[in-house]
Structures are given as C-alpha cells and as structure tokens.
Amino acid sequence: MGKPMIALPADTYTEATSIINLRNAAFAPDPAIKAITKSGGLPIVLPTVAAENAASYVDLFDGLLLLGGFDVDPTFYGQEPHFELGETFRKRDLFEIALLKATIEAGKPIMGICRGLQLINAGLGGTLYQDLSEDPTARLKHHQLAPGNLPTHHVNVHEGSQLQKLVGDRIYINSRHHQSIHEVVAPGLKVVARADDGVIEAVESIDSNQILAVQWHPENMFKHTPESQVIFKDLIDRASQQI
C-alpha cells in the first residue's frame, strides 16, 4: 500500500518576488509539508484556480489539509468588512470552499489549521468574529509575540471528543490569530476545545470523524510536542483508509 496523498491548497504571495518580478506566487509553508511527510503522508500543493475546477482535484488526493493565511472574506458569512479586518483574497476563498464541499461529498478526511478552521466554519454556514476585539469575552493574547514554535496559552478539550482521544484534556498551544468562530457554528460541526477565556479553539464533525480543525498552528510545534505530531498522524491514518 502506498502512502496517502494529502492536498495542501496553496497560499498566495501577493507581493513581487525576486524571481522575474513574479506576482501572486503560489506556495505552501515548509513546516506543514514536513509535518505531513514525517507523519507518513505525501503532500500535494494545489494552486488556486477557478472554483468550478476545484472538484476535479479530488480524485488526486486521499485527505485535505486547509492551512493558514488571509482572513476569510466576511461576505461569505453575511457581513460587510469591519475596520479591523485583515487582508483577504476572495479567489482563494471561493476555491477552497468549493474544494472543501467536494471533499466532503467524496467522504475524504479534512483537517484545518487556523484560517482553515475559520474557512471550514464560514464555508459550511457558520459565522466569524472579524477581529477578536469584537468578542467581549476574549481577554487572552491570541496573537502571540513569542516565537511561533513556542506555546503561550492553554486550551481545554471537551470530554468524549475525537480531539480529546488524541491530545488529552488540556494542552499548551501556540496562538497566531485575530479572528475566531462567532456565535454560529456551522451545521454538522461541534465545538470541542476552548481557551480559558472561552474563545473557540477546535471543532470536529458531529456524526463522523471526517473533519477536525484547530485554531492553533501544530505544524510549527510538531518537532517539539507529541500533541502536535499526533494531530497530523491522525489525518494520515484517516486518509490511509481511502487507499
């Protein structure tokens, strides 16, 4: 049996690069690639294309990993942009939402990281805080200034969840986000972890183990913490069932 293929939809570098003044270059973060390969998978980086072509990719991979990056365009969850909204890239949103839905339809496993969690929730009918300053309960520093591979706050994992089986009841995580899930969690998803201030830190599928998404960045800590590595290993194990 071969290794499971894991799709990583690419981020986009919008500034000019040093290579022939290239703009809108597609890339995937090296830590995510290494986390996938160390866990036994083979990554495939998917450049952003027109949303109507997204489903054509699905036969190429066994699992989908939605990564960090731009803020999700708030019009996808029925809002106009607020003052603290960060940079958005609607073409990527359209492509990843279409890819997400096609992957769900195909019954293949999905993992989300940071923006990936937010994209999953918004793409499936949930809402987001455009900035945590709008959340009256948020009091922890969720966009750390410490090095990204170091943990800075704790997360409480809900009893009986798939995530609890992987990482336990309480874990120490890194944090690099200014958006989060708002009051509407998408149909088919449930909250399975929160920070001490109540900010949602993870969701998973209600009736299956198809989707697991976390708000932190385990790809930056997988070399140092077993809790981070096991999340990637779980994706690979789920994807292996597709081979």
Side-chain angles (χ1 to χ4, degrees), residues 25-47:
F27 74 95
D30 189 58
I33 291 172
K34 288 179 177 176
I36 290 297
T37 56
K38 183 178 179 181
S39 301
L42 288 176
I44 307 173
V45 180
L46 305 181

PDB file of all heavy atoms in Angstrom, residues 25-47:
ATOM      1  N   ALA A  25       2.491  34.517  -6.468  1.00  0.00           N
ATOM      2  CA  ALA A  25       3.131  33.199  -6.476  1.00  0.00           C
ATOM      3  C   ALA A  25       2.437  32.281  -5.479  1.00  0.00           C
ATOM      4  O   ALA A  25       2.139  32.673  -4.346  1.00  0.00           O
ATOM      5  CB  ALA A  25       4.606  33.325  -6.122  1.00  0.00           C
ATOM      6  N   ALA A  26       2.170  31.045  -5.896  1.00  0.00           N
ATOM      7  CA  ALA A  26       1.561  30.045  -5.021  1.00  0.00           C
ATOM      8  C   ALA A  26       2.644  29.376  -4.183  1.00  0.00           C
ATOM      9  O   ALA A  26       3.727  29.070  -4.685  1.00  0.00           O
ATOM     10  CB  ALA A  26       0.816  29.009  -5.856  1.00  0.00           C
ATOM     11  N   PHE A  27       2.342  29.137  -2.910  1.00  0.00           N
ATOM     12  CA  PHE A  27       3.318  28.460  -2.056  1.00  0.00           C
ATOM     13  C   PHE A  27       2.609  27.745  -0.919  1.00  0.00           C
ATOM     14  O   PHE A  27       1.464  28.062  -0.574  1.00  0.00           O
ATOM     15  CB  PHE A  27       4.338  29.458  -1.485  1.00  0.00           C
ATOM     16  CG  PHE A  27       3.790  30.348  -0.397  1.00  0.00           C
ATOM     17  CD1 PHE A  27       3.953  30.023   0.938  1.00  0.00           C
ATOM     18  CD2 PHE A  27       3.108  31.512  -0.713  1.00  0.00           C
ATOM     19  CE1 PHE A  27       3.443  30.838   1.947  1.00  0.00           C
ATOM     20  CE2 PHE A  27       2.595  32.339   0.287  1.00  0.00           C
ATOM     21  CZ  PHE A  27       2.766  31.998   1.617  1.00  0.00           C
ATOM     22  N   ALA A  28       3.289  26.770  -0.344  1.00  0.00           N
ATOM     23  CA  ALA A  28       2.818  26.089   0.864  1.00  0.00           C
ATOM     24  C   ALA A  28       3.918  26.175   1.917  1.00  0.00           C
ATOM     25  O   ALA A  28       5.096  26.051   1.588  1.00  0.00           O
ATOM     26  CB  ALA A  28       2.481  24.634   0.567  1.00  0.00           C
ATOM     27  N   PRO A  29       3.566  26.400   3.185  1.00  0.00           N
ATOM     28  CA  PRO A  29       4.584  26.545   4.229  1.00  0.00           C
ATOM     29  C   PRO A  29       5.348  25.247   4.459  1.00  0.00           C
ATOM     30  O   PRO A  29       4.753  24.174   4.572  1.00  0.00           O
ATOM     31  CB  PRO A  29       3.783  26.965   5.458  1.00  0.00           C
ATOM     32  CG  PRO A  29       2.387  26.524   5.180  1.00  0.00           C
ATOM     33  CD  PRO A  29       2.208  26.596   3.703  1.00  0.00           C
ATOM     34  N   ASP A  30       6.659  25.369   4.545  1.00  0.00           N
ATOM     35  CA  ASP A  30       7.511  24.197   4.703  1.00  0.00           C
ATOM     36  C   ASP A  30       7.205  23.398   5.965  1.00  0.00           C
ATOM     37  O   ASP A  30       7.231  22.159   5.930  1.00  0.00           O
ATOM     38  CB  ASP A  30       8.982  24.629   4.686  1.00  0.00           C
ATOM     39  CG  ASP A  30       9.930  23.459   4.636  1.00  0.00           C
ATOM     40  OD1 ASP A  30       9.838  22.662   3.680  1.00  0.00           O
ATOM     41  OD2 ASP A  30      10.773  23.337   5.551  1.00  0.00           O
ATOM     42  N   PRO A  31       6.889  24.030   7.107  1.00  0.00           N
ATOM     43  CA  PRO A  31       6.569  23.226   8.298  1.00  0.00           C
ATOM     44  C   PRO A  31       5.395  22.273   8.089  1.00  0.00           C
ATOM     45  O   PRO A  31       5.402  21.151   8.605  1.00  0.00           O
ATOM     46  CB  PRO A  31       6.254  24.274   9.357  1.00  0.00           C
ATOM     47  CG  PRO A  31       7.016  25.477   8.932  1.00  0.00           C
ATOM     48  CD  PRO A  31       6.950  25.475   7.443  1.00  0.00           C
ATOM     49  N   ALA A  32       4.379  22.708   7.337  1.00  0.00           N
ATOM     50  CA  ALA A  32       3.238  21.823   7.075  1.00  0.00           C
ATOM     51  C   ALA A  32       3.644  20.655   6.193  1.00  0.00           C
ATOM     52  O   ALA A  32       3.210  19.513   6.404  1.00  0.00           O
ATOM     53  CB  ALA A  32       2.100  22.607   6.430  1.00  0.00           C
ATOM     54  N   ILE A  33       4.471  20.926   5.200  1.00  0.00           N
ATOM     55  CA  ILE A  33       4.964  19.858   4.323  1.00  0.00           C
ATOM     56  C   ILE A  33       5.752  18.836   5.134  1.00  0.00           C
ATOM     57  O   ILE A  33       5.566  17.619   4.997  1.00  0.00           O
ATOM     58  CB  ILE A  33       5.830  20.463   3.200  1.00  0.00           C
ATOM     59  CG1 ILE A  33       4.947  21.261   2.242  1.00  0.00           C
ATOM     60  CG2 ILE A  33       6.599  19.377   2.454  1.00  0.00           C
ATOM     61  CD1 ILE A  33       5.722  22.059   1.210  1.00  0.00           C
ATOM     62  N   LYS A  34       6.612  19.317   6.011  1.00  0.00           N
ATOM     63  CA  LYS A  34       7.432  18.406   6.819  1.00  0.00           C
ATOM     64  C   LYS A  34       6.587  17.635   7.821  1.00  0.00           C
ATOM     65  O   LYS A  34       6.849  16.450   8.090  1.00  0.00           O
ATOM     66  CB  LYS A  34       8.535  19.189   7.526  1.00  0.00           C
ATOM     67  CG  LYS A  34       9.628  19.671   6.574  1.00  0.00           C
ATOM     68  CD  LYS A  34      10.693  20.456   7.302  1.00  0.00           C
ATOM     69  CE  LYS A  34      11.810  20.860   6.335  1.00  0.00           C
ATOM     70  NZ  LYS A  34      12.832  21.728   6.988  1.00  0.00           N
ATOM     71  N   ALA A  35       5.564  18.284   8.387  1.00  0.00           N
ATOM     72  CA  ALA A  35       4.698  17.581   9.335  1.00  0.00           C
ATOM     73  C   ALA A  35       3.958  16.443   8.646  1.00  0.00           C
ATOM     74  O   ALA A  35       3.776  15.357   9.228  1.00  0.00           O
ATOM     75  CB  ALA A  35       3.710  18.559   9.956  1.00  0.00           C
ATOM     76  N   ILE A  36       3.524  16.661   7.422  1.00  0.00           N
ATOM     77  CA  ILE A  36       2.831  15.620   6.659  1.00  0.00           C
ATOM     78  C   ILE A  36       3.779  14.470   6.327  1.00  0.00           C
ATOM     79  O   ILE A  36       3.442  13.292   6.506  1.00  0.00           O
ATOM     80  CB  ILE A  36       2.220  16.202   5.375  1.00  0.00           C
ATOM     81  CG1 ILE A  36       1.037  17.110   5.703  1.00  0.00           C
ATOM     82  CG2 ILE A  36       1.776  15.097   4.416  1.00  0.00           C
ATOM     83  CD1 ILE A  36      -0.119  16.426   6.364  1.00  0.00           C
ATOM     84  N   THR A  37       4.959  14.788   5.828  1.00  0.00           N
ATOM     85  CA  THR A  37       5.896  13.727   5.436  1.00  0.00           C
ATOM     86  C   THR A  37       6.379  12.938   6.647  1.00  0.00           C
ATOM     87  O   THR A  37       6.507  11.709   6.583  1.00  0.00           O
ATOM     88  CB  THR A  37       7.090  14.304   4.660  1.00  0.00           C
ATOM     89  OG1 THR A  37       7.732  15.318   5.440  1.00  0.00           O
ATOM     90  CG2 THR A  37       6.629  14.907   3.344  1.00  0.00           C
ATOM     91  N   LYS A  38       6.632  13.618   7.765  1.00  0.00           N
ATOM     92  CA  LYS A  38       7.076  12.917   8.973  1.00  0.00           C
ATOM     93  C   LYS A  38       5.992  11.978   9.485  1.00  0.00           C
ATOM     94  O   LYS A  38       6.293  10.928  10.071  1.00  0.00           O
ATOM     95  CB  LYS A  38       7.464  13.916  10.057  1.00  0.00           C
ATOM     96  CG  LYS A  38       8.003  13.237  11.320  1.00  0.00           C
ATOM     97  CD  LYS A  38       8.425  14.242  12.372  1.00  0.00           C
ATOM     98  CE  LYS A  38       8.937  13.532  13.626  1.00  0.00           C
ATOM     99  NZ  LYS A  38       9.338  14.490  14.691  1.00  0.00           N
ATOM    100  N   SER A  39       4.745  12.327   9.235  1.00  0.00           N
ATOM    101  CA  SER A  39       3.626  11.511   9.712  1.00  0.00           C
ATOM    102  C   SER A  39       3.270  10.380   8.766  1.00  0.00           C
ATOM    103  O   SER A  39       2.363   9.595   9.053  1.00  0.00           O
ATOM    104  CB  SER A  39       2.400  12.403   9.930  1.00  0.00           C
ATOM    105  OG  SER A  39       2.681  13.413  10.876  1.00  0.00           O
ATOM    106  N   GLY A  40       3.966  10.299   7.630  1.00  0.00           N
ATOM    107  CA  GLY A  40       3.752   9.177   6.721  1.00  0.00           C
ATOM    108  C   GLY A  40       2.942   9.487   5.482  1.00  0.00           C
ATOM    109  O   GLY A  40       2.568   8.579   4.743  1.00  0.00           O
ATOM    110  N   GLY A  41       2.667  10.765   5.228  1.00  0.00           N
ATOM    111  CA  GLY A  41       1.910  11.138   4.037  1.00  0.00           C
ATOM    112  C   GLY A  41       2.780  11.803   2.998  1.00  0.00           C
ATOM    113  O   GLY A  41       3.945  12.113   3.231  1.00  0.00           O
ATOM    114  N   LEU A  42       2.206  12.024   1.830  1.00  0.00           N
ATOM    115  CA  LEU A  42       2.878  12.747   0.754  1.00  0.00           C
ATOM    116  C   LEU A  42       2.034  13.971   0.402  1.00  0.00           C
ATOM    117  O   LEU A  42       0.881  13.835  -0.008  1.00  0.00           O
ATOM    118  CB  LEU A  42       3.048  11.859  -0.485  1.00  0.00           C
ATOM    119  CG  LEU A  42       4.077  10.740  -0.377  1.00  0.00           C
ATOM    120  CD1 LEU A  42       4.059   9.894  -1.649  1.00  0.00           C
ATOM    121  CD2 LEU A  42       5.472  11.322  -0.158  1.00  0.00           C
ATOM    122  N   PRO A  43       2.601  15.170   0.537  1.00  0.00           N
ATOM    123  CA  PRO A  43       1.826  16.380   0.265  1.00  0.00           C
ATOM    124  C   PRO A  43       1.744  16.697  -1.222  1.00  0.00           C
ATOM    125  O   PRO A  43       2.688  16.472  -1.977  1.00  0.00           O
ATOM    126  CB  PRO A  43       2.593  17.463   1.017  1.00  0.00           C
ATOM    127  CG  PRO A  43       3.996  16.965   1.062  1.00  0.00           C
ATOM    128  CD  PRO A  43       3.917  15.467   1.116  1.00  0.00           C
ATOM    129  N   ILE A  44       0.588  17.219  -1.629  1.00  0.00           N
ATOM    130  CA  ILE A  44       0.385  17.755  -2.971  1.00  0.00           C
ATOM    131  C   ILE A  44      -0.075  19.194  -2.799  1.00  0.00           C
ATOM    132  O   ILE A  44      -1.111  19.442  -2.171  1.00  0.00           O
ATOM    133  CB  ILE A  44      -0.697  16.988  -3.751  1.00  0.00           C
ATOM    134  CG1 ILE A  44      -0.427  15.495  -3.760  1.00  0.00           C
ATOM    135  CG2 ILE A  44      -0.817  17.504  -5.173  1.00  0.00           C
ATOM    136  CD1 ILE A  44      -1.574  14.705  -4.369  1.00  0.00           C
ATOM    137  N   VAL A  45       0.661  20.147  -3.342  1.00  0.00           N
ATOM    138  CA  VAL A  45       0.299  21.552  -3.236  1.00  0.00           C
ATOM    139  C   VAL A  45      -0.600  21.919  -4.413  1.00  0.00           C
ATOM    140  O   VAL A  45      -0.242  21.722  -5.576  1.00  0.00           O
ATOM    141  CB  VAL A  45       1.547  22.444  -3.210  1.00  0.00           C
ATOM    142  CG1 VAL A  45       1.145  23.916  -3.102  1.00  0.00           C
ATOM    143  CG2 VAL A  45       2.458  22.060  -2.047  1.00  0.00           C
ATOM    144  N   LEU A  46      -1.779  22.455  -4.104  1.00  0.00           N
ATOM    145  CA  LEU A  46      -2.760  22.800  -5.136  1.00  0.00           C
ATOM    146  C   LEU A  46      -2.824  24.313  -5.299  1.00  0.00           C
ATOM    147  O   LEU A  46      -3.241  25.026  -4.384  1.00  0.00           O
ATOM    148  CB  LEU A  46      -4.154  22.286  -4.751  1.00  0.00           C
ATOM    149  CG  LEU A  46      -4.302  20.797  -4.432  1.00  0.00           C
ATOM    150  CD1 LEU A  46      -5.761  20.492  -4.111  1.00  0.00           C
ATOM    151  CD2 LEU A  46      -3.809  19.938  -5.580  1.00  0.00           C
ATOM    152  N   PRO A  47      -2.444  24.850  -6.457  1.00  0.00           N
ATOM    153  CA  PRO A  47      -2.573  26.280  -6.676  1.00  0.00           C
ATOM    154  C   PRO A  47      -4.046  26.678  -6.755  1.00  0.00           C
ATOM    155  O   PRO A  47      -4.908  25.870  -7.112  1.00  0.00           O
ATOM    156  CB  PRO A  47      -1.869  26.502  -8.011  1.00  0.00           C
ATOM    157  CG  PRO A  47      -1.964  25.188  -8.707  1.00  0.00           C
ATOM    158  CD  PRO A  47      -1.887  24.149  -7.631  1.00  0.00           C
TER     159      PRO A  47
END
